[in-house]
Amino acid sequence: MKSQKTLWILLVAGFCFWSGLAITLPTLPLYIQSLGGTPHQVGIVMGGFAIGLIASRAWLGKLADRNGRKRVLLIGLGVAVLAPLTYLLDFFFFHSLPLMFALRGIHGISIAAFTTGYVALIVDIAPPEHRGQILGYTSLVHPMGVALGPSLGSWLEAEAGHGWVFLAATLFGLAGLVCILYVRECPPSSAQAENSGLFWRLLGAARLRIPTLVMLLVGLAFGTLSTFVPLFIKAENIDFSPGLFYSAAALSSFIGRVATGSASDRWGRGVFISLSLLFYTASMVGLAQAQTGADLLVAGFLEGFGGGVLIPMMSALMADRSQPDERGRVLSLTMGGFDFGIAIAGPIIGALAADWGLRTLFACGGGFTILALGLFFSGSGLKVADSYRFAVGRGPDPYALPMPMEN
């Protein structure tokens, strides 16, 4: 009963968090551009978000294992309240690109903290035999928030300006913060407190290396997409709201999470991770060729399904491969690969945009996800044959821990 109540509180907090974060997705690149930012500068400023993610992941993962998940959740939502308020100050008083870059870096701490605490606490609660199903359902708050946020942000920006967008983001964060105050969790065990160090030693572990590289490559593709889709629509004069692209992605993400969570408990995580990478590739290729609003809707739907399946499946995979006393660090490390990909995508892709064009860069994003698929097929086990069987759903995860080891 207590666990069920905690799950419901987490669901509401998660919806508020992702809605507040997503409300700025279609509008912030345009705001940065309105300050005089070039596509390269837009990429740099937007990439600052992931720098905060990377810088804080190791510390937050260790904190989650040592001091509990709730403290990390409070940090995430606290930053989600404060960061949009600082955007509001820039909007009214400073109009500074360097300041926005710094503020984006601080804002990045919010997603590092919230995602680490949220997933770790849910895995702690969920029975191992239903882990994929529960992670799939509880991760629905992401597409729900991303469905509401961009559309609301685009509408607010058109009707009232950027200031109201930033204020709304703050209010969503505040609502989530209040929810987390009511979460109760068991205190960390003595084993968790004693084993909370050695974060970077995990990086060399075979069970984590390939998933982290896969997430890095997907982060490169996602960083390209999330930063430059609004600018691409504007540059190509396509009569289409950027918010609709993200809403289409959110809808398909919802479908993907519902359809695959419980299935992965029966058939394994590998086949669904492979499927998600194929959908991601198709989305990037579709963006490279998009000419109409309908093309963009299809690309958004494909990207949403790919991301909606990949994130919870990768989280479940890492939970399968880790023990409770290291789970926060393991999740932080793997998702840190995604963060790093986003961080370097903005500046690098932005620098190439003028010479190569955005269509070519979206096609390169498809190349990143194809490479990720190749790595996953060949490197998910000690032998290529074992990796392939796992990746297509015909063999077990070579690195999964025995289920009795879970509490």
Side-chain angles (χ1 to χ4, degrees):
M1 194 70 179
K2 175 183 172 183
S3 297
Q4 189 177 46
K5 180 181 178 181
T6 299
L7 283 175
W8 279 110
I9 294 173
L10 288 171
L11 285 169
V12 176
F15 174 74
C16 292
F17 175 81
W18 289 114
S19 297
L21 194 69
I23 203 171
T24 64
L25 278 177
T27 60
L28 199 55
L30 300 177
Y31 173 66
I32 297 166
Q33 190 178 54
S34 74
L35 298 179
T38 64
H40 186 201
Q41 290 171 325
V42 170
I44 290 174
V45 174
M46 293 297 289
F49 187 87
I51 292 174
L53 275 162
I54 295 166
S56 61
R57 277 288 191 189
W59 170 66
L60 290 166
K62 182 178 179 179
L63 185 67
D65 288 334
R66 185 184 62 212
N67 297 101
R69 324 305 191 191
K70 180 176 178 177
R71 183 172 299 187
V72 177
L73 286 166
L74 289 172
I75 291 172
L77 281 156
V79 175
V81 172
L82 295 175
L85 281 178
T86 60
Y87 294 167
L88 200 59
L89 291 175
D90 182 81
F91 174 74
F92 282 116
F93 300 110
F94 302 110
H95 312 291
S96 167
L97 286 174
L99 178 60
M100 281 299 297
F101 175 77
L103 297 178
R104 285 291 291 169
I106 294 171
H107 201 172
I109 298 171
S110 68
I111 194 170
F114 185 84
T115 54
T116 298
Y118 185 84
V119 175
L121 184 53
I122 287 169
V123 172
D124 291 345
I125 294 171
E129 65 273 16
H130 298 298
R131 181 176 287 151
Q133 180 182 25
I134 292 176
L135 277 172
Y137 286 140
T138 53
S139 70
L140 291 175
V141 294
H142 178 269
M144 291 170 65
V146 173
L148 172 67
S151 298
L152 179 59
S154 293
W155 179 80
L156 280 174
E157 191 275 332
E159 296 295 325
H162 292 289
W164 284 96
V165 176
F166 301 148
L167 180 60
T170 295
L171 294 176
F172 274 117
L174 183 60
L177 181 64
V178 171
C179 289
I180 295 300
L181 293 175
Y182 292 93
V183 166
R184 294 183 179 181
E185 64 170 338
C186 296
S189 66
S190 58
Q192 283 175 273
E194 292 171 3
N195 296 322
S196 60
L198 306 178
F199 178 89
W200 294 110
R201 183 178 295 178
L202 293 170
L203 185 60
R207 60 192 166 118
L208 307 184
R209 191 182 307 121
I210 292 300
T212 303
L213 287 174
V214 167
M215 294 305 290
L216 168 64
L217 291 166
V218 174
L220 285 168
F222 180 78
T224 303
L225 179 148
S226 63
T227 300
F228 295 107
V229 162
L231 301 184
F232 173 73
I233 293 171
K234 184 177 180 180
E236 296 291 325
N237 294 314
I238 300 175
D239 185 16
F240 185 79
S241 169
L244 291 176
F245 177 90
Y246 297 108
S247 294
L251 174 62
S252 61
S253 177
F254 190 99
I255 295 170
R257 292 165 197 256
V258 170
T260 60
S262 60
S264 75
D265 290 325
R266 296 192 302 271
W267 301 329
R269 323 298 183 194
V271 64
F272 296 104
I273 292 174
S274 299
L275 182 66
S276 72
L277 294 172
L278 288 173
F279 270 84
Y280 237 112
T281 302
S283 171
M284 300 304 294
V285 173
L287 273 175
Q289 300 176 346
Q291 301 288 341
T292 66
D295 296 336
L296 290 166
L297 276 176
V298 171
F301 191 90
L302 292 171
E303 186 277 329
F305 191 90
V309 173
L310 179 66
I311 300 300
M313 286 301 99
M314 196 63 80
S315 298
L317 182 71
M318 292 299 95
D320 294 342
R321 296 181 175 190
S322 62
Q323 299 192 53
D325 63 342
E326 62 177 3
R327 191 165 287 147
R329 289 165 293 147
V330 166
L331 290 168
S332 290
L333 177 61
T334 306
M335 295 306 163
F338 186 70
D339 305 339
F340 186 67
I342 296 173
I344 63 177
I348 293 175
I349 300 301
L352 298 173
D355 295 328
W356 289 16
L358 290 176
R359 292 185 185 277
T360 301
L361 298 178
F362 288 142
C364 290
F368 294 142
T369 52
I370 283 290
L371 178 57
L373 184 63
L375 286 173
F376 189 69
F377 266 62
S378 61
S380 294
L382 294 175
K383 298 179 180 179
V384 174
D386 293 336
S387 298
Y388 174 77
R389 284 193 290 268
F390 171 62
V392 298
R394 294 186 176 181
D397 179 4
Y399 295 111
L401 298 179
M403 196 171 292
M405 293 183 70
E406 298 289 347
N407 294 327

